Amino acid sequence: MDIIYEYDGVTASQRLESFAEEKLNKLHQKFDDIIRADVFLKQENTSSDETGMICNIRLSLPGPRIFVEASNQNFEESVIESVSELERQLKKRKDKMRAY
């Protein structure tokens, strides 16, 4: 699985990339048909202290792409929330495929 990182208003961080890669590799072990993951990290000014660090992840796999977005007070929490949402969507998709 290829992982591509894009930053918008944020400096690149090797620590953050390795954290996201670790989480996505665990997801790839469960769902081996994932081809590529695009991780978008951006920071927005918000009125709340609990949001603003946004992580978008788009997965490429056979069939339609899967996209999630999470906004939290830091990027690690946003990555964790995004990956858990991806896992939920992938389980749902896999269950639909088994029904046929």
Side-chain angles (χ1 to χ4, degrees):
M1 171 180 67
D2 295 329
I3 302 174
I4 298 170
Y5 299 95
E6 292 186 31
Y7 296 92
D8 183 14
V10 180
T11 57
S13 166
Q14 185 62 37
R15 183 186 61 81
L16 189 58
E17 286 182 11
S18 63
F19 179 77
E21 184 175 352
E22 175 188 332
K23 298 294 181 187
L24 287 169
N25 282 333
K26 286 181 184 178
L27 193 64
H28 185 253
Q29 289 174 356
K30 292 181 185 178
F31 305 97
D32 58 351
D33 57 344
I34 300 171
I35 299 167
R36 187 175 94 188
D38 297 312
V39 180
F40 305 96
L41 299 168
K42 62 183 175 181
Q43 183 176 1
E44 288 186 351
N45 293 330
T46 60
S47 59
S48 173
D49 291 339
E50 297 177 4
T51 60
M53 305 296 182
I54 299 172
C55 174
N56 299 330
I57 301 176
R58 180 177 59 208
L59 291 182
S60 297
L61 58 159
R65 291 183 180 163
I66 296 177
F67 180 81
V68 296
E69 179 175 328
S71 178
N72 286 302
Q73 62 186 357
N74 61 42
F75 285 118
E76 287 83 4
E77 289 179 17
S78 295
V79 168
I80 291 169
E81 185 178 330
S82 294
V83 169
S84 66
E85 177 64 22
L86 283 171
E87 185 172 5
R88 188 185 70 75
Q89 288 186 25
L90 286 166
K91 281 181 184 178
K92 188 176 179 181
R93 180 183 224 176
K94 196 172 190 178
D95 288 342
K96 280 186 180 180
M97 297 300 282
R98 275 195 212 140
Y100 298 109

